[in-house]
Amino acid sequence: MEKQLQLFDPMIIRKDFPVLSQKVNNQPLVYFDNAATTQKPQIVVDALTNYYQNYNANVHRGVHHLSQVATAAFEESRDTIRRYINAAYTHEIILTRGSTESINLVASTWGRQNVKEGDEILITELEHHSNIVPWQMLCEEKKARLRVIPINDDGSLNIDAFHNLLNSKTKLLAITHVSNSLGTVIPLKEIISAAHSNNTLVLVDGAQALSHLKVDVIDLDCDFYAFSAHKVYGPMGIGGLYGKEKLLNEMPPYQGGGEMISTVSFEKTVYNELPFKFEAGTPNAGGTIAFASALNYLKGLGIDAIEAYEKELLDYATQRLLEKSNIRIVGTAPGKAAIISFLIDKIHPYDAGTILDQMGIAVRTGNHCTQPLMQRFGIQGTIRASLAFYNTKSEIDSLINGISKVEELFL
Ligand code: PMP
């Protein structure tokens, strides 16, 4: 443990993130909005700059030098992403704009092809709007039924209800890995295995998982896994979808255009092979390369060390918050990730967030794109502090002081 802590010194790590050393409202910035987006280490910024400064070219299309360098770096990055989540084949990694697009891709292609009238799609009460609305749209179009697995009061999934809801009509389970609002971590292996025994495919919304946990898609045996680079210290506008080769091969393309074709005539188009079949248009090559550099950076730190340190931070933050009599933590599932939603007495989260911002503390307030989840708890929203490995206990102390100030002003 001592060795790990020694290795994992957040004060040294913070030097990799120039954005963190600024002042906001004359106070040192405390960035606790990591579930919305993470900050980027200099190495990621450099990878992006290096791409545009030195080898920007359209990939896959040119015989010229720059295009070949860019293509090699782009495809190598796809393989880095594959290795990070332990997919079997590089062509099982489809590059998209992020989790939202990845989920929409599956809904529009696999969903349209396979979901029929009367079929059921299962989601959970924890889902982000991105993993609700695409399925709602599909169900509306196909006259299928969207069913929702309830959660328990601590924010954990109601496993008995899940088993009861699974039936012969359940075509797909679309489920988050880590809840962006509560931090709940879903016991996916058990759930995926039960779904598969029922011939139900499983799509995992991994937007919040890659930054906090080791993800191994082969071990999970999920059918699809969606993720976003910007949630895992990479750039915005890039992300991916892992899909099992067989399923991806059977699915129709998502969008039509360049890259996704093999041959085109006015009479007939032959689609390209995987992964290009799903990647119409010029890809975000620079973003993909920078994404891979973020994953390499995380690998260098070690996801186990990150997990251990974030747990220490989460425990500290929880304990400090609970020392205050006015705090209600929403979401206390065992084994949760370092995301804490809370309320301060009857104070509106927006008011609290505004005062905290004046003290340089960035938290998220509102429904966190999980309106049905907020309704489940009978609240409008929460204050959310979502932590990352570059956060420190002293920043948590600043948050606690900030909350005292909020209490002084509003109670
Ligand atoms: N799912 C979850 C659980 C999320 O937290 C988010 C982002 N807040 C998304 C999906 C959507 O991700 P993106 O906006 O990067 O597509």
Side-chain angles (χ1 to χ4, degrees):
M1 193 65 190
E2 206 172 279
K3 189 166 166 241
Q4 197 167 64
L5 288 180
Q6 217 179 14
L7 269 177
F8 210 92
D9 183 342
M11 295 321 285
I12 294 176
I13 285 168
R14 287 174 74 85
K15 297 201 174 106
D16 296 335
F17 293 81
V19 74
L20 295 175
S21 59
Q22 67 187 289
K23 290 200 164 173
V24 168
N25 293 324
N26 271 331
Q27 308 279 340
L29 166 68
V30 173
Y31 187 76
F32 281 156
D33 197 16
N34 294 288
T37 200
T38 50
Q39 297 301 344
K40 322 304 170 199
Q42 188 61 44
I43 206 167
V44 168
V45 179
D46 289 346
L48 205 53
T49 309
N50 185 29
Y51 171 78
Y52 283 110
Q53 227 163 38
N54 295 309
Y55 60 103
N56 169 55
N58 209 325
V59 292
H60 299 139
R61 293 179 195 185
V63 289
H64 62 80
H65 174 75
L66 283 191
S67 178
Q68 294 196 11
V69 175
T71 303
F74 176 63
E75 289 303 332
E76 200 180 298
S77 300
R78 192 195 302 272
D79 197 54
T80 301
I81 299 166
R82 174 195 71 76
R83 273 184 273 121
Y84 199 82
I85 61 169
N86 195 33
Y89 306 110
T90 311
H91 58 255
E92 289 178 321
I93 305 297
I94 313 297
L95 296 164
T96 65
R97 284 191 299 125
S99 308
T100 304
E101 187 172 47
S102 298
I103 296 167
N104 276 280
L105 188 160
V106 177
S108 299
T109 59
W110 179 88
R112 284 222 177 100
Q113 191 177 47
N114 292 284
V115 175
K116 310 265 179 314
E117 185 170 348
D119 285 344
E120 294 182 1
I121 290 177
L122 205 49
I123 58 171
T124 82
E125 275 185 325
L126 288 167
E127 302 312 314
H128 186 280
H129 297 162
S130 292
N131 202 27
I132 302 174
V133 183
W135 307 116
Q136 234 165 14
M137 289 162 70
L138 177 70
C139 286
E140 207 166 299
E141 182 182 318
K142 296 290 183 178
K143 299 195 173 60
R145 185 170 174 204
L146 189 67
R147 305 199 71 183
V148 185
I149 310 168
I151 56 168
N152 301 310
D153 289 342
D154 66 356
S156 60
L157 195 70
N158 184 332
I159 304 284
D160 289 341
F162 158 65
H163 287 290
N164 288 335
L165 280 162
L166 262 189
N167 69 69
S168 60
K169 295 184 214 144
T170 321
K171 280 284 161 71
L172 178 85
L173 166 67
I175 187 166
T176 194
H177 196 167
V178 174
S179 155
N180 66 308
S181 291
L182 308 186
T184 307
V185 178
I186 299 292
L188 278 181
K189 272 188 87 162
E190 170 192 347
I191 281 174
I192 291 170
S193 145
H196 284 169
S197 307
N198 189 57
N199 285 325
T200 299
L201 294 189
V202 183
L203 173 139
V204 180
D205 173 359
Q208 295 294 337
L210 279 192
S211 57
H212 297 294
L213 314 169
K214 186 172 181 349
V215 172
D216 181 330
V217 292
I218 292 181
D219 185 49
L220 289 175
D221 197 27
C222 55
D223 300 289
F224 301 105
Y225 196 97
F227 49 94
S228 301
H230 74 102
K231 307 275 193 196
V232 59
Y233 310 98
M236 287 188 176
I238 182 76
L241 172 73
Y242 157 78
K244 283 183 179 163
E245 181 189 41
K246 182 173 178 299
L247 290 167
L248 292 175
N249 270 324
E250 287 166 359
M251 282 152 56
Y254 179 41
Q255 295 175 327
E259 287 277 318
M260 55 75 72
I261 52 88
S262 167
T263 59
V264 178
S265 73
F266 287 122
E267 288 71 40
K268 183 171 171 54
T269 290
V270 177
Y271 304 131
N272 207 340
E273 58 195 14
L274 294 177
F276 313 112
K277 180 172 98 175
F278 293 106
E279 296 180 356
T282 299
N284 183 351
T288 307
I289 292 161
F291 180 20
S293 76
L295 296 180
N296 284 332
Y297 175 82
L298 285 190
K299 214 165 168 188
L301 293 180
I303 193 72
D304 292 340
I306 290 173
E307 250 190 278
Y309 177 68
E310 286 187 355
K311 177 169 184 339
E312 198 182 310
L313 271 186
L314 173 69
D315 289 348
Y316 182 71
T318 307
Q319 173 218 319
R320 295 277 352 245
L321 282 167
L322 292 178
E323 280 165 15
K324 293 189 142 294
S325 56
N326 290 321
I327 300 283
R328 170 185 166 201
I329 295 182
V330 184
T332 52
K336 65 181 264 193
I339 296 173
I340 314 178
S341 260
F342 61 96
L343 291 162
I344 314 169
D345 206 274
K346 298 264 186 301
I347 300 170
H348 196 288
Y350 180 84
D351 290 334
T354 307
I355 301 303
L356 291 172
D357 178 58
Q358 284 170 13
M359 303 174 76
I361 302 169
V363 290
R364 193 69 156 199
T365 59
N367 61 55
H368 320 298
C369 296
T370 54
Q371 286 180 21
L373 179 62
M374 296 298 119
Q375 281 155 21
R376 154 70 177 76
F377 284 102
I379 54 182
Q380 293 280 322
T382 69
I383 306 159
R384 181 185 69 186
S386 49
L387 313 179
F389 57 75
Y390 43 59
N391 290 130
T392 64
K393 288 185 183 169
S394 114
E395 288 182 315
I396 289 163
D397 294 339
S398 302
L399 173 67
I400 300 297
N401 291 338
I403 292 170
S404 299
K405 178 91 184 166
V406 172
E407 288 170 334
E408 266 170 45
L409 285 169
F410 290 98
L411 291 183

